[in-house]
């Protein structure tokens, strides 16, 4: 009774409105702390769930997502020509019949060439330089060494695993192998080592583990590639590559053997200015017209001889031939055929190239993420020395039977004899 009497006395003294406000504030405060407690209890499990989900993402889903991002992004690179050489033996070849390619493909190639060369390109979309790059800086053009370019061109980070190459550019020196490789590296599904490993001709004793470790990491669906043009003229290379993987795809860039020999000599001359003239090295006896086929610059161009060694281990269906001449006048067409051969989607097309009239060669367009255009180093595109026309005529005559045999073996007519008539 005392408690209720005291309570009645208290409530009678305190206004009911103030009591109501006090009770309401206590209720709101309790509700606020209750909600905060619930939020904290919900927040941390959610964060843990995100961590768990991140952990269980499979490598396959990561690979798919990453490759989709690559496909949605236009990738560009810089193109130039790197050329490398080697040697073998000589045999006499006569009486071979020329086998020609489909004329419809030739017509299509010529149409593509005309359209591509004749299409103007805005100045802001172009970069100076190309397959015949020169030294110095011109029209905001800067040069870079091959190693630097190899780090810049292929944008795929080192995710995935390292694998032995499924495709190799095996030749030929001074044919346009560097130009082809750098154009292929624009493709998001191609991963290639920048330097030439020379594994199957110089470093074979180091073993396949050493060779594999040189390769870039690849995701599921990507192709690992390398290029070493001296493989084509190395007698032991076909068997060694076949022992590594008999299903390896081989790419050979060929060029008019006379032009190739002069380019080869030019490269050597730039390093050793004291060597004899081209004419002296090319002939055993110029008066009698005896060609010195033991000279490596000439021996490399006997393509049929070297190809015979490769066809002992690989069927023609696993060897793709790229015309070094068409790679200049119709790069999109040549790259389309190479991508088909490799089983790739045609990502690298005509739209990636423009024709630089000053240089006389195609270039790859400037990448979107680059602030300054770059081309390959000054070692590319040297000016050839003037060679006597009689020497060139004799060399064409020397190579003709070998060329005819090569046309028959490959089923393609590269039409090098027509160049002499022109």
């Amino acid at each position: 009774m005392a408690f209720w009497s005291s309570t009645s006395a208290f409530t009678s003294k305190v206004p009911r409105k103030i009591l109501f406000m006090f009770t309401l504030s206590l209720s709101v405060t309790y509700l606020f702390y209750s909600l905060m407690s619930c939020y904290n209890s919900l927040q941390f499990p959610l964060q843990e769930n995100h961590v768990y989900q991140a952990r269980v993402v499979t490598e396959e889903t990561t690979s798919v997502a990453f490759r989709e991002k690559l496909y949605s992004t236009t990738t560009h690179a810089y193109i130039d020509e790197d050329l490398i050489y080697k040697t073998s033996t000589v045999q006499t070849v006569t009486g071979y019949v020329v086998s020609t390619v489909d004329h419809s493909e030739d017509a299509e190639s010529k149409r593509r060439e005309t359209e591509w060369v004749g299409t103007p390109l805005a100045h802001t979309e172009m970069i100076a330089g190309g397959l015949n790059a020169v030294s110095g800086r011109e029209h905001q053009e800067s040069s870079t060494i091959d190693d630097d370019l190899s780090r810049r061109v292929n944008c795929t980070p080192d995710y995935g695993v390292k694998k032995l190459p499924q495709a190799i550019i095996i030749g030929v020196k001074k044919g346009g192998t560097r130009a082809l490789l750098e154009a292929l590296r624009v493709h998001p599904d191609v991963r290639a080592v920048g330097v030439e490993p020379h594994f199957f001709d110089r470093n074979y004793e180091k073993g396949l583990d050493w060779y594999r470790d040189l390769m870039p990491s690849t995701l599921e669906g990507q192709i690992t590639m390398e290029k070493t043009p001296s493989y084509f003229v190395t007698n032991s290379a076909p068997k060694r590559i076949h022992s590594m993987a008999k299903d390896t795809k081989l790419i050979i860039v060929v060029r008019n053997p006379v032009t190739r020999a002069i380019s080869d000599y030019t490269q050597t001359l730039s390093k050793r200015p004291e060597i004899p003239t081209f004419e002296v090295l090319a002939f055993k006896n110029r008066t009698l017209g005896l060609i010195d086929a033991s000279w490596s610059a000439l021996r490399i161009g006997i393509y049929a001889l070297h190809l015979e060694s490769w066809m002992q281990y690989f069927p023609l269906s696993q060897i793709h031939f790229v015309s070094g001449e068409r790679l200049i006048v119709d790069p999109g067409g040549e790259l389309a055929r190479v991508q088909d051969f490799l089983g790739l989607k045609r990502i690298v097309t005509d739209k990636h190239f423009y024709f630089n009239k000053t240089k006389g060669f195609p270039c790859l367009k400037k990448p979107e993420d680059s602030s300054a255009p770059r081309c390959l180093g000054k070692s590319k595109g040297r000016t050839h020395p003037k060679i006597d026309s009689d020497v060139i005529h004799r060399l064409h005559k020397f190579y003709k039977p070998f060329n005819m045999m090569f046309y028959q073996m490959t089923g393609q007519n590269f039409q090098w004899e027509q160049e002499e008539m022109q």
Side-chain angles (χ1 to χ4, degrees):
M1 290 293 295
F3 172 77
W4 290 113
S5 61
S6 62
T7 302
S8 300
F10 173 78
T11 54
S12 62
K13 295 178 181 179
V14 178
R16 293 179 178 274
K17 186 174 181 180
I18 295 176
L19 182 63
F20 173 77
M21 293 298 294
F22 178 73
T23 304
L24 181 62
S25 64
L26 288 176
S27 300
V28 171
T29 302
Y30 175 78
L31 179 62
F32 173 78
Y33 281 104
S34 297
L35 291 175
M36 288 295 295
S37 177
C38 292
Y39 173 78
N40 290 332
S41 65
L42 292 173
Q43 181 182 23
F44 294 107
L46 283 175
Q47 291 177 340
E48 293 174 358
N49 188 41
H50 284 307
V51 173
Y52 172 76
Q53 290 178 358
R55 288 173 181 168
V56 300
V57 172
T58 64
E59 182 179 348
E60 180 179 357
T61 56
T62 304
S63 172
V64 172
F66 187 72
R67 290 176 62 231
E68 286 179 353
K69 183 176 180 181
L70 283 175
Y71 274 121
S72 64
T73 306
T74 302
T75 314
H76 302 293
Y78 312 98
I79 188 169
D80 198 74
E81 186 177 46
D82 185 11
L83 313 159
I84 306 173
Y85 314 149
K86 221 66 176 184
T87 62
S88 214
T89 57
V90 182
Q91 296 177 354
T92 302
V93 183
T94 57
Y96 288 94
V97 180
V98 180
S99 183
T100 60
V101 295
D102 190 347
H103 294 292
S104 61
E105 184 175 341
D106 286 343
E108 174 65 13
S109 179
K110 291 179 179 178
R111 181 191 65 78
R112 291 168 59 86
E113 174 188 343
T114 302
E115 292 179 352
W116 178 70
V117 174
T119 303
L121 193 69
H123 178 71
T124 55
E125 293 180 280
M126 301 191 299
I127 61 171
L131 297 177
N132 195 25
V134 296
S135 61
R137 186 159 184 158
E138 179 179 339
H139 303 293
Q140 297 182 337
E141 173 184 327
S142 60
S143 62
T144 182
I145 59 174
D146 291 348
D147 288 346
D148 180 58
L149 184 113
S150 69
R151 292 192 295 269
R152 298 172 181 270
V153 172
N154 203 314
C155 64
T156 310
D158 285 334
Y159 301 141
V161 296
K162 293 187 175 185
K163 301 177 182 179
L164 293 170
Q166 297 93 52
I168 303 176
I169 301 175
I170 62 172
V172 298
K173 180 185 179 183
K174 307 306 291 181
T177 56
R178 174 59 64 182
L180 176 63
L181 181 67
E182 298 307 331
L184 282 174
R185 293 175 75 180
V186 176
H187 200 294
D189 281 344
V190 172
R191 294 279 282 153
V193 60
V195 297
E196 295 173 2
H198 284 279
F199 175 67
F200 296 103
D201 59 347
R202 302 178 188 173
N203 299 303
Y204 193 66
E205 72 285 350
K206 296 183 178 179
L208 288 175
D209 290 338
W210 176 87
Y211 185 46
R212 182 188 293 107
D213 193 54
L214 295 179
M215 299 300 128
S217 299
T218 55
L219 302 173
E220 185 67 26
Q222 289 184 319
I223 293 178
T224 303
M225 292 187 66
E226 70 115 319
K227 87 155 183 98
T228 304
S230 55
Y231 290 162
F232 184 60
V233 294
T234 301
N235 293 331
S236 58
K239 182 179 180 179
R240 289 173 174 178
I241 294 178
H242 185 268
S243 297
M244 177 190 71
K246 62 182 180 181
D247 60 346
T248 304
K249 293 184 177 182
L250 309 175
I251 299 175
I252 307 174
V253 187
V254 291
R255 182 184 184 187
N256 185 324
V258 177
T259 309
R260 198 221 65 82
I262 297 173
S263 182
D264 195 339
Y265 170 79
T266 304
Q267 176 174 279
T268 305
L269 182 65
S270 68
K271 301 174 182 178
R272 298 170 53 196
E274 74 281 0
I275 64 172
T277 65
F278 181 87
E279 291 83 353
V280 171
L281 294 172
F283 290 92
K284 288 184 176 180
N285 188 317
R286 185 174 177 181
T287 303
L288 298 177
L290 297 178
I291 303 294
D292 187 0
S294 64
W295 184 29
S296 63
L298 297 182
R299 191 163 63 248
I300 292 173
I302 308 176
Y303 303 140
L305 177 64
H306 308 304
L307 180 61
E308 188 176 7
S309 299
W310 290 91
M311 293 184 69
Q312 292 178 10
Y313 293 91
F314 295 93
L316 202 59
S317 59
Q318 285 179 229
I319 306 175
H320 181 75
F321 301 91
V322 176
S323 167
E325 288 82 12
R326 287 200 299 265
L327 189 59
I328 294 175
V329 299
D330 182 22
E334 283 300 296
L335 265 296
R337 286 182 279 272
V338 173
Q339 290 170 98
D340 290 346
F341 171 71
L342 295 175
L344 298 171
K345 184 178 179 180
R346 289 188 176 186
I347 299 295
V348 186
T349 62
D350 283 338
K351 68 181 181 180
H352 289 85
F353 301 91
Y354 80 94
F355 191 82
N356 189 307
K357 294 182 179 180
T358 303
K359 304 294 184 183
F361 289 94
C363 301
L364 285 170
K365 294 180 183 177
K366 174 183 176 182
E368 297 174 353
D369 59 350
S370 176
S371 59
R374 294 176 181 269
C375 291
L376 291 179
K378 61 183 181 180
S379 63
K380 314 304 177 184
R382 300 180 181 92
T383 301
H384 290 181
K386 184 175 177 57
I387 308 297
D388 188 275
S389 59
D390 178 66
V391 173
I392 294 177
H393 172 73
R394 289 177 182 270
L395 287 176
H396 275 289
K397 187 176 180 179
F398 165 76
Y399 278 119
K400 185 174 181 178
F402 296 104
N403 292 344
M404 294 299 176
M405 182 181 182
F406 184 67
Y407 296 167
Q408 185 186 42
M409 295 171 71
T410 62
Q412 300 182 48
N413 184 350
F414 293 91
Q415 302 179 349
W416 292 321
E417 289 70 32
Q418 293 186 11
E419 294 183 26
E420 182 185 13
M421 293 185 291
Q422 295 174 356

